[in-house]
Amino acid sequence: MKIAMVGSGYVGLVSGACFADFGHDVVCVDKDASKIDRLHAGIMPIYEPGLAELVSANVRGGRLSFSTDLAASIKGAQAIFIAVGTPSRRGDGHADLSYVYAVAQEIADNLTAPAVIVTKSTVPVGTGDEVERIIRDSGTGVQFAVVSNPEFLREGAAISDFKRPDRIVVGAEDEWERGVMREVYRPLFLNKAPLLFTGRRSSELIKYAANAFLATKITFINEMADLCEKVGADVQDVARGIGLDNRIGSKFLHAGPGYGGSCFPKDTLALLKTAEDFASPVRIVEAVVLVNESRKRAMGRKVIEALAEAGVGEPRGRKIALLGLTFKPNTDDMRDAPSIAIVQALIDAGADIVAYDPEGMEAAKSLMPQVAMAANAYDAVTGADAVVLVTEWDAFRGIDLEQVGRLMKSRVLVDLRNVYNPAEVRASGWYYSSVGRK
Ligand code: UDX
């Protein structure tokens, strides 16, 4: 089957490469000529484990190509995916749909044969109706249908999430487009991945509801962590104790500095806007957004408290080393990373910050120009008064804490991801503070 993927960002590129790997003939389209040039040269625009290899294997196999020419690329494609960005609109938090609608118009103007237009971008309820209207109003005489097919890809694990999904959600109104989508996902379908057909509006809402629920789960355990600290309980035990109940489930119960990334912050806000538009309040999600925002800054205060309790004193003039800056490991993505608020809180308190992140420093530089970037973790901690583990990269799990301690001015460790064993760390002379543990 011939597939056109319009938008070669994170979602478009991963999905396009995986579809090609299924044996489809895929062309990934993007307006950004330099991105397409780099893809032709085998250079990935994002860091995602396994992606470069998957792309190059499928390019070599003749199943994957790249183009800036939308009109030529959609010719003969039975499925045309829209996978462009839907960032939060400045000022009001609504999803900005201008890129989606511009692509819909361009597809409408160039459609020459029957095709299913599939929205993979995360879009508010009703967007599919508008895309359909745009194409219909263009006066095309060609048969088409508009389908919703949200992605559930985690950065850093996107390829396995695509190839071994918990479910595939397709919002389609008629049998013709359902048949095309069955064909698109045939290899997964044969592997018994649940393919859930719903109406288009339900499918659009499923994506937001899923992300809002996961954000709620994280925020819930984060508040439990705060309570654990007050009452002398251990949040990891609490998470395990509730997670073993199948109705709750153990995933997404890791307490930490708050969620960030390209999806949860933006999608929860957009859901609030939809709820407002339809006068149907989602108060739990409202609370989640507020709690998560204030939590990120509160993590800065946690570091300041640790300095005081460890006897180091006021943060002014102290050197604080941050290990990890990205919103989570195995990505170079800095979008809404808790590190940004933590750095701001510490700088406001007069501290000097030095940081190291295996992949995120390039993107972080412009977001936190006052932070000195180190060549490695050991350089970052040299002469520091405290070290803060912000992102749980594997490299930091296995770090030599004895050497770290020798390089630092004082042994103060704030572990915002509960990576280390409190008893062991304290036994080697550290002041150790973590999240929701005594
Ligand atoms: C998420 C969804 O998981 C994915 O299905 C959706 O399509 C896009 O958004 P992603 O943003 O890549 O994926 O990362 P995810 O692994 O879900 O983590 C999001 C944030 O939550 C990170 O900041 C992470 O550190 C945090 N998190 C996650 C926790 O703090 N605790 C947890 O238990 C899980």
Side-chain angles (χ1 to χ4, degrees), residues 151 153-155 207 218 252 254 260 263 327-328 417:
E151 52 84 15
L153 308 176
R154 284 166 305 161
E155 291 186 19
K207 168 69 193 208
I218 296 167
F252 276 69
H254 299 292
C263 288
F327 80 98
K328 66 172 200 176
R417 301 286 184 169

Side-chain angles (χ1 to χ4, degrees), residues 26 34 58 65 71 74 90 139 245 306 346-347 350-351:
V26 181
S34 72
N58 283 284
S65 60
I74 66 169
R90 215 175 277 270
D245 183 329
L346 294 174
I347 284 179

